[in-house]
Amino acid sequence: FLLQHGWFGGIASGKTHAAKVLERLGARVLDADKLGHAAYAPGNDAHRQVIEAFGSHILTSGGTIDRAALGARVFGNPSEMKRLTDIVWPEIAKLAAEELERLKSIGTSWTVVEAAVLLEAGWQNMCDEVWCMVVPPHIARQRIMERNALTAEEADRRIHSQLSNDERISRSHVVVDSSGSKEETSSKLIMEVKELSQRVLSSRGIHLAISSPL
């Protein structure tokens, strides 16, 4: 038995902190961004396809893809961005599926796929439940301005380039509001995980391996 969760949220919603909490509670977290780095690595199909699509000038002297150069090419250009994601997202999904199968084979009971673009990429289809973090836009704006030294206008552009909170909530099984402190968010997560354990026990008769609270 392997319970697979999708975990996502908007910019500055505290996804990284939440993933660490879930790990401490016993989840095995798959970071889609790290899988993305692997997808770009030489030897993978995505590496070859990206070069064919965007040219060899996006390569470093060592033959790896310069993600900054590639990003400059596609950001702000929806057609080019789609061209890239049509190549990379399936490769990330393939790598995630392989890792999930490996974890299942060694007896892992609970995994979390953390991905900012979980819904856009269609990866929710590999998950039993979808959980998301939401934070009001005005709080996200303040966090982005402080963390990235951006203006309010720049922060708003990043926020508005993503799904709205209403869209996230409508497509999630569990929603965690992270507008408070990290400690408050941790407490909410612990409560949700306890409820998850009860759901799994009642629906499948299986005791989910949950570690003690932090």
Side-chain angles (χ1 to χ4, degrees), residues 183-195:
E183 290 73 21
E184 289 170 328
T185 300
S186 296
S187 295
K188 291 178 182 178
L189 286 166
I190 291 169
M191 180 185 70
E192 292 292 353
V193 169
K194 287 180 178 178
E195 292 183 5

Side-chain angles (χ1 to χ4, degrees), residues 48-59:
R48 174 183 54 78
Q49 292 177 45
V50 168
I51 295 170
E52 290 176 354
F54 296 98
S56 59
H57 62 278
I58 62 167
L59 294 175

Side-chain angles (χ1 to χ4, degrees), residues 131-147:
W131 290 25
C132 80
M133 299 279 283
V134 295
V135 62
H138 70 279
I139 296 178
R141 179 191 305 120
Q142 190 61 38
R143 289 178 179 176
I144 295 167
M145 290 170 64
E146 293 173 357
R147 185 185 69 188

Side-chain angles (χ1 to χ4, degrees), residues 21-78:
V21 173
L22 293 174
E23 273 191 321
R24 290 168 186 158
L25 289 170
R28 183 65 178 268
V29 177
L30 276 66
D31 185 334
D33 192 52
K34 290 181 180 178
L35 292 176
H37 282 279
Y40 283 108
N44 280 329
D45 285 343
H47 180 269
R48 174 183 54 78
Q49 292 177 45
V50 168
I51 295 170
E52 290 176 354
F54 296 98
S56 59
H57 62 278
I58 62 167
L59 294 175
T60 66
S61 58
T64 60
I65 292 173
D66 184 336
R67 294 184 68 177
L70 182 59
R73 169 84 177 266
V74 302
F75 289 133
N77 187 326

Side-chain angles (χ1 to χ4, degrees), residues 1 6 19 32 51 55 85 96-97 104 112 118 120 161 175 206:
F1 168 77
I51 295 170
T85 57
K104 183 178 180 179
V112 173
L118 185 82
E120 294 93 328
S161 70
V175 178
I206 295 170

Side-chain angles (χ1 to χ4, degrees), residues 5-6 8 124 127-132 168-175 192 199:
H5 270 166
F8 77 111
Q124 74 274 15
C127 304
D128 296 299
E129 289 190 6
V130 172
W131 290 25
C132 80
R168 295 186 184 101
I169 291 168
S170 69
R171 300 171 67 181
S172 299
H173 297 87
V174 172
V175 178
E192 292 292 353
R199 284 201 303 277

